[in-house]
Amino acid sequence: MKMSLQGPFSKSFPSVMITEEIHSRLAVFKPEYVDVYDDSASHAGHTGSAAGGGHYDLTIVSAQFAGKNTLARHRMVMALFADLIPHPIHALSIKKTLTPDEL
């Protein structure tokens, strides 16, 4: 179930809630491993950060990526977050989308 994150967001919007929401949405992939890193502090002063959007790095391992190329995997992931971009997520950097066999 998607969390309701509609409406205006400010700098004070808790990034821990966003991180939890990212984890929650990725559960549809039944991941063996997920790492979500809030990199917002590294982007302080950046236009998106000033507007209240966070920067997140993501690595996920799921058998559901088997047989799909990198672009297809990234599209699968990004489709889960379209309603959160550009606020409260300004940038979602997908570092790796792997299958368990690719570890």
Side-chain angles (χ1 to χ4, degrees), residues 11 18 21 35 40 47 54 57 61 98 100-102:
K11 291 181 191 178
I18 303 304
E21 181 65 9
D35 180 51
S40 300
T47 304
D57 294 341
V61 178
L98 302 170
D101 293 338
E102 294 171 330

Side-chain angles (χ1 to χ4, degrees), residues 4-100:
S4 177
L5 294 174
Q6 303 299 322
F9 296 93
S10 68
K11 291 181 191 178
S12 63
F13 193 81
S15 66
V16 70
M17 287 180 64
I18 303 304
T19 302
E20 289 172 0
E21 181 65 9
I22 292 170
H23 278 275
S24 175
R25 291 184 184 202
L26 291 172
V28 300
F29 294 124
K30 297 178 177 64
E32 292 189 17
Y33 174 81
V34 173
D35 180 51
V36 178
Y37 176 73
D38 182 353
D39 195 32
S40 300
S42 297
H43 298 272
H46 179 271
T47 304
S49 178
H55 290 71
Y56 299 89
D57 294 341
L58 170 67
T59 297
I60 180 171
V61 178
S62 171
Q64 293 187 28
F65 295 138
K68 296 177 176 59
N69 66 28
T70 302
L71 181 58
R73 295 173 185 192
H74 284 217
R75 285 179 174 160
M76 290 169 63
V77 171
M78 292 304 288
L80 297 175
F81 303 103
D83 64 316
L84 300 181
I85 297 171
H87 293 288
I89 298 174
H90 173 70
L92 180 61
S93 176
I94 303 172
K95 298 298 184 184
K96 293 184 181 180
T97 52
L98 302 170
T99 67

